[in-house]
Amino acid sequence: MVQARWRTAGGALLRVVVVWAVSTLTLLALAGILPDFQLQSDDGDSITRTAVTAAWGAGVFGLLSALVWPLAVRALLLVPALVLGFLAFFLNGSLLLFALWLIPDGRGEAAPENAVVVAAVMSAVASATSTALAVGDDNAYRSRLYRLAGRRRAKPPALGPASPPGTVFLQLDGVGHRVLRDAVADGVMPTVAAWLATTHRLTSWRTDWSSQTGASQLAILHGTNHDVPAFRWYEKDTGRLMVSNRPACAAELQHRAIERTGDGGLLTLDGASRGNLFSGGADQLALVLSVSARRGRRNRSRAGYVAYFRDPANAVRTALSFLAEVGREIGESTRSRIRGDRPRVGRGGLYPFIRAFATVVERDVVVAAVMGDMLAGRTAVYADLVGYDEVAHHSGPHGRDALKVLERLDRSLALIAKVAEHAPRPYRVVLLSDHGQSPGETFESAYGLTLRDLVRAGCGLPVPRRARHAPSGAEARGALRSAVHLPVEEGREERPARTSDPVVLASGNLGLISFPDVRYRMSREEIDRRHPALLRTLADHPGIGFLLVRSERHGSVVLGPGGFETPVDDLTDDGPLAAFGPGAADAVRRTDSFPHAADIMVNSTYDPRTGTVHAFEEQIGSHGGLGGEQSEAFLLFPRTVSAPVEDGDRLVGAEAVHRVLRRWLRESQGPQVPVQEVPSRPQPEEAFPVADRVAPDKRG
């Protein structure tokens, strides 16, 4: 025992000495390369004296980084998280300047701009060296992973290889079943391909009519998405506009779900929620939108940023990757314009920064938080990675830009697989999506007017000459607003005036039309009396597939082109719904039962030959309604758990997915008996095997 402790202490001391030596050499090299950075007196010094000066500076800088940096980051908890990442450069540079100031005889000196560069390089080199030295030592590598995850080394939980396995649910936001299969077949996602070849199985599940994260994730985490008709909708009883990616609305939706089910959520038992819209009842939270509006000690969501940025190497790497991603997006959008790609939407303004936040900052913080949860031995973890969804909205779900994001997400999965080998308990990983995306030209681009313009024309109201684009429904925008402390004002957009003018909202290729001056859901007959041409104008438009509207005579009816009209109770998957596939009629019937269904629900056309829809927003990859790949999400699960459904049945609806995940969590507490024979390649003691030992790529 004593000998083992001495060996551990000796190994740690050796690693410190090696990192110090490498940092010293790096400092010497930078002093020779950069102007206005010196490690010598004005009269010059011997090589030995200069080396001692460099060693002094490297040692003090390393000590300050270890002791002062975590305290500085915690003190900046109220600073916007995105700003905190960039402050990493200035904080790091300040520590270096202070370290140089402490060198005797004033031999260390650097211009502030050079101090920032030197500090960034020093942090990166020290981090890389420490990781390389720790790889061969399990204890050292585990300690390194704790630091990478932004966690302090706590007493390991009383768990072991024989303990019941924990479960990590990783949501790849917006990745449809077909996209995942194609990415595996084309070699874009080798980690997922290795799991499918050895330890996991893949199936699809059909979303509800509202095929978007707000509805799907609410049901997956809290068991119900009742009365969530779209990504955004108008509630007549309160006069409020609900938008799923706004913190106050997310909190309200979570509260309603808990009231309806009487249950806290999927993660109430020792759970963690990372990067989600909703908490799932978890006690451990990071980047969870439904609690991000809280202030004070009860809000631990933003602590995920602090935990991650506590390590200066994390902060520097993520900030540099953020800038690189902004440049990548500008370059890709420029090439797209030059090539004349069609369809295409605008990708300027703040979008490059929103994309970089989703694909770099949020990914890095969420993955680090999941790693920390696994090292802490938590029972259930649910995390959402939103990068693909954000990029696919603007580049298309099958575009090269979106596939590159999938490549980088696959490397994150490989890193999580590596961490599982060092966790105090075995882990099962379930990979799933909340919806897919359907490609297609926007409604405005195809027909020269927005849905709002068409509705106003059908009502005989003036149509503005300059089109006003519908706001994007991308989930990452809400997370970014929260990260930079930009609360949504309760203004006219939040509570539209109760006038006779219609409120027209878009959720992908699903449109919602409400008349705010009428406090109840208007009937078809009332709409016809007020605006005789409106319903036929909409139903017969070539860009619209069908309408749902309440009727005084038939309950509710579906209207389609050519005078098609069918009561919802008699609705089948034929007629105007035939193109939308099996289950479309049931999905429409369910939404019709919601108290806050709009006066008129509008679904765009869908072309089954091309798989395209027409989004009512500025998106060429969209989701939110019925039609094509957006309704086909995936579920990739270990072979050791029970099948999601019986053979021949179909998994339909996010609420059904919740019940399956609940069942798997219950199964993990009992004997772990595979439901079918597992191929012999993986070793039985590996809770999370990866073929050929895919090495983690920490570059992006």
Side-chain angles (χ1 to χ4, degrees):
M1 178 71 71
V2 175
Q3 185 178 4
R5 289 180 178 176
W6 276 106
R7 187 183 301 112
T8 300
L13 179 60
L14 177 61
R15 284 190 295 274
V16 170
V17 171
V18 172
V19 171
W20 190 0
V22 172
S23 298
T24 299
L25 293 174
T26 302
L27 203 59
L28 286 169
L30 292 172
I33 295 172
L34 295 175
D36 299 325
F37 175 43
Q38 67 179 38
L39 296 172
Q40 296 177 326
S41 65
D42 294 335
D43 298 331
D45 285 322
S46 65
I47 296 177
T48 302
R49 182 60 183 172
T50 303
V52 170
T53 301
W56 179 281
V60 174
F61 177 70
L63 189 63
L64 289 173
S65 295
L67 299 178
V68 178
W69 180 275
L71 298 176
V73 171
R74 182 163 293 279
L76 293 171
L77 176 62
L78 297 181
V79 173
L82 193 60
V83 177
L84 180 59
F86 286 101
L87 279 178
F89 289 104
F90 303 103
L91 288 172
N92 230 12
S94 299
L95 291 179
L96 180 70
L97 288 173
F98 185 61
L100 295 177
W101 179 76
L102 291 176
I103 294 176
D105 303 324
R107 283 179 164 79
E109 185 179 337
E113 62 274 15
N114 282 335
V116 170
V117 175
V118 173
V121 174
M122 292 281 289
S123 296
V125 169
S127 176
T129 305
S130 177
T131 302
L133 292 173
V135 166
D137 184 328
D138 282 347
N139 289 329
Y141 190 67
R142 191 177 294 112
S143 297
R144 170 63 187 154
L145 290 174
Y146 268 94
R147 291 194 297 273
L148 182 62
R151 299 292 177 123
R152 292 180 178 176
R153 184 68 183 274
K155 182 179 179 181
L159 299 168
S163 303
T167 306
V168 176
F169 303 102
L170 298 174
Q171 178 180 303
L172 301 186
D173 205 298
V175 179
H177 182 249
R178 177 188 163 187
V179 166
L180 186 79
R181 286 192 296 107
D182 290 348
V184 168
D186 295 339
V188 174
M189 304 186 77
T191 304
V192 176
W195 298 347
L196 280 172
T198 55
T199 58
H200 285 65
R201 290 183 290 172
L202 175 66
T203 189
S204 64
W205 66 274
R206 186 175 177 89
T207 68
D208 305 291
W209 187 1
S210 182
S211 54
Q212 47 87 20
T213 304
S216 293
Q217 195 181 87
L218 183 65
I220 292 171
L221 288 178
H222 289 280
T224 181
N225 57 10
H226 176 76
D227 204 20
V228 182
F231 183 82
R232 53 173 66 86
W233 68 96
Y234 176 69
E235 296 190 344
K236 291 190 170 187
D237 52 347
T238 63
R240 183 180 180 186
L241 179 62
M242 297 290 289
V243 184
S244 298
N245 69 346
R246 289 179 178 166
C249 295
E252 175 64 21
L253 293 177
Q254 180 173 304
H255 174 72
R256 293 178 185 179
I258 293 173
E259 273 198 335
R260 182 174 179 83
T261 63
D263 182 84
L266 183 72
L267 308 173
T268 51
L269 178 61
D270 188 29
S273 180
R274 311 301 190 186
N276 300 311
L277 293 181
F278 311 104
S279 74
D283 182 59
Q284 298 296 319
L285 306 170
L287 282 68
V288 175
L289 199 70
S290 63
V291 301
S292 65
R294 299 177 187 170
R295 291 292 176 259
R297 298 179 61 183
R298 289 180 57 83
N299 179 17
R300 288 166 303 200
S301 181
R302 292 193 67 254
Y305 289 114
V306 176
Y308 179 77
F309 288 123
R310 184 185 293 130
D311 186 335
N314 288 350
V316 170
R317 182 178 71 90
T318 297
L320 290 174
S321 298
F322 180 93
L323 294 175
E325 187 70 8
V326 170
R328 183 181 292 116
E329 163 56 27
I330 293 173
E332 289 171 350
S333 62
T334 300
R335 287 192 293 272
S336 176
R337 287 196 303 271
I338 293 174
R339 290 193 302 263
D341 292 346
R342 290 287 186 273
R344 190 174 73 241
V345 294
R347 292 163 61 172
L350 291 177
Y351 171 67
F353 299 95
I354 295 172
R355 166 178 167 164
F357 175 81
T359 59
V360 175
V361 179
E362 192 161 20
R363 179 203 62 197
D364 286 354
V365 175
V366 168
V367 169
V370 171
M371 290 162 48
D373 293 327
M374 296 170 72
L375 294 170
R378 303 204 191 285
T379 300
V381 182
Y382 195 104
D384 187 11
L385 298 168
V386 302
Y388 169 86
D389 188 67
E390 180 63 43
V391 174
H393 279 313
H394 294 79
S395 304
H398 302 285
R400 288 177 293 182
D401 302 354
L403 295 181
K404 290 177 183 176
V405 175
L406 287 180
E407 280 187 286
R408 294 194 289 274
L409 287 176
D410 188 80
R411 291 199 289 268
S412 296
L413 299 178
L415 178 58
I416 291 173
K418 187 69 175 177
V419 172
E421 299 173 4
H422 298 270
R425 71 190 302 170
Y427 270 97
R428 306 176 308 183
V429 170
V430 175
L431 202 64
L432 74 160
S433 62
D434 48 347
H435 54 79
Q437 284 202 22
S438 296
E441 192 175 11
T442 68
F443 185 86
E444 180 184 1
S445 175
Y447 300 105
L449 76 171
T450 66
L451 178 63
R452 180 175 180 271
D453 294 338
L454 182 64
V455 170
R456 292 185 66 83
C459 293
L461 298 172
V463 177
R465 292 184 178 181
R466 179 174 297 178
R468 187 180 69 177
H469 299 314
S472 172
E475 291 80 10
R477 295 172 186 266
L480 177 59
R481 293 187 68 88
S482 175
V484 297
H485 290 189
L486 289 177
V488 178
E489 297 292 337
E490 289 281 343
R492 290 168 50 189
E493 186 183 0
E494 297 297 310
R495 297 184 180 275
R498 291 189 182 275
T499 66
S500 59
D501 286 2
V503 173
V504 183
L505 303 172
S507 293
N509 73 318
L510 177 65
L512 295 88
I513 305 166
S514 300
F515 294 91
D517 61 322
V518 178
R519 298 299 183 105
Y520 53 85
R521 186 179 174 188
M522 288 185 72
S523 68
R524 174 192 179 180
E525 291 78 8
E526 290 174 305
I527 295 172
D528 281 341
R529 284 194 292 270
R530 178 183 288 193
H531 302 294
L534 176 60
L535 292 177
R536 271 297 114 207
T537 296
L538 294 173
D540 289 333
H541 191 279
I544 291 177
F546 64 91
L547 313 177
L548 170 67
V549 63
R550 186 177 71 84
S551 170
E552 295 173 1
R553 292 193 303 166
H554 304 293
S556 291
V557 294
V558 167
L559 307 179
F564 180 90
E565 178 180 338
T566 299
V568 166
D569 291 341
D570 301 330
L571 195 63
T572 65
D573 290 330
D574 297 324
L577 298 186
F580 298 95
D586 289 337
V588 171
R589 255 190 298 271
R590 180 171 183 268
T591 299
D592 180 61
S593 70
F594 291 169
H596 289 117
D599 293 335
I600 308 172
M601 303 285 292
V602 183
N603 204 98
S604 85
T605 55
Y606 166 63
D607 187 344
R609 297 170 301 172
T610 61
T612 56
V613 299
H614 294 306
F616 300 122
E617 302 180 76
E618 279 291 291
Q619 298 172 350
I620 59 173
S622 67
H623 56 88
L626 290 173
E629 297 176 53
Q630 64 182 317
S631 300
E632 296 295 324
F634 77 86
L635 183 62
L636 187 143
F637 55 96
R639 297 172 187 261
T640 52
V641 301
S642 59
V645 292
E646 298 292 335
D647 289 343
D649 290 342
R650 182 80 193 279
L651 190 59
V652 178
E655 292 181 358
V657 175
H658 171 86
R659 293 191 289 270
V660 171
L661 302 190
R662 280 270 195 184
R663 187 208 318 153
W664 289 345
L665 287 178
R666 290 194 300 268
E667 290 174 359
S668 70
Q669 304 307 311
Q672 297 303 298
V673 180
V675 296
Q676 70 177 52
E677 183 178 355
V678 180
S680 58
R681 184 189 300 178
Q683 298 301 312
E685 65 271 15
E686 291 183 66
F688 197 73
V690 179
D692 300 326
R693 294 289 184 185
V694 178
D697 187 335
K698 298 180 177 63
R699 294 173 299 172

